[in-house]
Amino acid sequence: MSRRAFVRWLLAIGVVLVGLSAWFSVLVKKKFIQEGQPAIAPAGSPEPPQATAEPSEEPLPLGPLMSFFILSDLHVTSGDPQTIKKLRQALDDVTHFDGPVDAIMLTGDLTDTGTERDYKELRSILSSYKLPPVHANMGNHDYYTIWINKANAWDQDAVPNGKNDALSRDQFKHFMSYNTIYNDFTTNGHSILLLSQEAYVQEKPEVGEGAWYSDEQMAWFKERTSLLYKPGRPLFVMTHQPLPPIGTDGATHQLIRAIQFRETLKSYKNVFVFCGHRHQDFQNGTPHYVQETFHFFHNSSVGRTLNRAYQQDAKNKAQGIYVQVFADKVVVRGREFSNRTFIEEANWSIPLEKAHV
């Protein structure tokens, strides 16, 4: 074979190999297309559906939605400089507090004797601070003016010393600029109701030191609870005297119409009730939180914190409660105002029941 013929033979073999390669490529592509796995989508064909993630639940806000202090049993009187000192300690702490404070609740016994002199002293203290909105209800000591004579001395033999329970109610309303002694308010979408003792021993000797609420107040309480309660959110109720055991009405030193009070709240979740009156130190081992159909907290006292025997052995203590409302819980913490610290024994985090859609 000549050199020229050999070259032509090699070129022919190359053409055959290229043809075989192209034919094999077509077979492979056809195989993939038949099995539904095209290497390249045809031009103009619709895009395949994209996988989408399920929407996640909206994250909860990190910070509190509302926060407030509860100061109970101030017992301010010009004759007792210690109660004045302790209230100032509390207000110093509140006004320099490292956290939000949307309101202050004064839950009864603002004064020791309910006299004009006591209210003047209290006004002088409060007006010397730049405070958030202050709200209050009446305690039994705010009716004590009937025990005080014209010389500003305790005179039990001369009761009512020319005064009456109506005068005490009027003095409280004037001091707080209220039209009624029981009220409610809403801030940042959360509501607080403040119930007040409506009579004392001058008008109703049988109530003793107990909290008597009229038919009108109980009807108001039921109507406002129904109107203000929002599923999934907390509703707060302030009283002064504590509740008696479940199933009973109270007497002296207790909320008297307790059966009706509990019945009003029974169908509502996320209700938080706070009372004062007991003055019990958060660190003396007495229970301060009771779970019923609602959450029931006993506050301590700013003016006179007491031990289990109701003695003021820790004379320097001044205690109260700080409440924070979050989207999914309410945090309740005891506060020692004398040294501006939280109290380890009084620290509760209560999950909120979600609203049913």
Side-chain angles (χ1 to χ4, degrees):
M1 180 183 290
S2 66
R3 180 183 177 88
R4 185 184 297 272
F6 180 74
V7 170
R8 285 200 299 268
W9 180 79
L10 287 177
L11 290 173
I13 292 297
V15 170
V16 171
L17 290 174
V18 170
L20 287 172
S21 176
W23 176 76
F24 182 76
S25 176
V26 170
L27 286 178
V28 170
K29 288 181 180 180
K30 186 176 181 181
K31 174 71 173 174
F32 274 104
I33 291 171
Q34 287 175 344
E35 292 181 1
Q37 299 291 336
I40 302 175
S45 63
E47 291 289 330
Q50 299 295 313
T52 57
E54 289 295 321
S56 61
E57 191 171 316
E58 185 177 350
L60 296 172
L62 296 178
L65 305 175
M66 182 180 74
S67 304
F68 59 94
F69 272 100
I70 306 175
L71 311 182
S72 188
D73 298 278
L74 314 179
H75 288 276
V76 167
T77 175
S78 57
D80 183 1
Q82 191 76 349
T83 58
I84 296 171
K85 171 188 173 184
K86 290 184 177 184
L87 178 55
R88 288 196 176 277
Q89 286 177 334
L91 297 179
D92 285 338
D93 188 14
V94 170
T95 52
H96 294 90
F97 189 69
D98 186 20
V101 183
D102 296 305
I104 298 174
M105 307 292 108
L106 307 179
T107 54
D109 287 3
L110 283 63
T111 63
D112 197 46
T113 62
T115 58
E116 185 177 344
R117 186 174 69 164
D118 283 356
Y119 277 115
K120 183 178 179 180
E121 189 70 57
L122 179 57
R123 185 179 302 280
S124 174
I125 297 170
L126 295 177
S127 63
S128 63
Y129 293 87
K130 186 176 181 180
L131 299 172
V134 176
H135 304 270
N137 59 8
M138 293 186 74
N140 53 311
H141 272 257
D142 299 315
Y143 282 92
Y144 270 28
T145 187
I146 63 169
W147 302 101
I148 308 300
N149 62 24
K150 292 181 179 179
N152 245 357
W154 186 274
D155 194 345
Q156 185 172 343
D157 295 333
V159 169
N161 285 287
K163 307 168 188 175
N164 54 43
D165 293 347
L167 173 64
S168 295
R169 292 190 293 271
D170 289 342
Q171 288 183 150
F172 172 79
K173 288 188 292 184
H174 177 73
F175 180 80
M176 293 300 302
S177 298
Y178 286 164
N179 293 322
T180 58
I181 62 172
Y182 46 90
N183 295 275
D184 64 76
F185 76 99
T186 299
T187 184
N188 296 347
H190 296 83
S191 298
I192 300 178
L193 294 90
L194 297 106
L195 280 67
S196 271
Q197 175 177 342
E198 284 186 82
Y200 187 53
V201 296
Q202 184 269 324
E203 291 178 345
K204 291 185 174 295
E206 68 274 15
V207 307
E209 303 298 320
W212 179 83
Y213 303 152
S214 67
D215 290 342
E216 290 76 15
Q217 182 170 186
M218 295 304 291
W220 170 88
F221 178 46
K222 183 176 181 179
E223 184 269 333
R224 297 304 288 172
T225 299
S226 175
L227 181 66
L228 296 173
Y229 184 80
K230 307 296 181 187
R233 295 185 186 182
L235 178 69
F236 300 98
V237 180
M238 305 290 148
T239 70
H240 178 67
Q241 282 89 334
L243 288 160
I246 295 174
T248 66
D249 273 332
T252 185
H253 297 288
Q254 298 171 335
L255 195 158
I256 293 174
R257 301 182 72 170
I259 293 175
Q260 187 177 350
F261 178 91
R262 285 184 165 107
E263 186 66 26
T264 296
L265 299 179
K266 187 171 68 173
S267 60
Y268 301 99
K269 307 297 182 183
N270 301 325
V271 173
F272 292 75
V273 179
F274 294 85
C275 75
H277 191 70
R278 296 195 318 165
H279 295 229
Q280 291 293 289
D281 188 338
F282 282 123
Q283 296 174 300
N284 70 12
T286 54
H288 284 81
Y289 167 54
V290 179
Q291 184 172 1
E292 299 189 17
T293 61
F294 48 85
H295 304 283
F296 184 33
F297 290 88
H298 296 257
N299 200 358
S300 183
S301 167
V302 173
R304 294 169 185 165
T305 303
L306 304 180
N307 64 16
R308 294 175 74 109
Y310 293 92
Q311 298 167 335
Q312 194 177 356
D313 59 347
K315 296 187 182 298
N316 293 324
K317 287 190 175 184
Q319 298 178 350
I321 283 176
Y322 181 57
V323 180
Q324 291 177 296
V325 181
F326 295 86
D328 59 343
K329 63 184 177 182
V330 171
V331 175
V332 179
R333 304 182 72 183
R335 184 76 171 173
E336 176 56 59
F337 297 118
S338 64
N339 59 14
R340 301 185 183 183
T341 60
F342 284 113
I343 299 169
E344 183 178 349
E345 295 87 343
N347 189 354
W348 302 274
S349 181
I350 312 295
L352 293 171
E353 292 197 25
K354 294 183 178 180
H356 297 293
V357 180

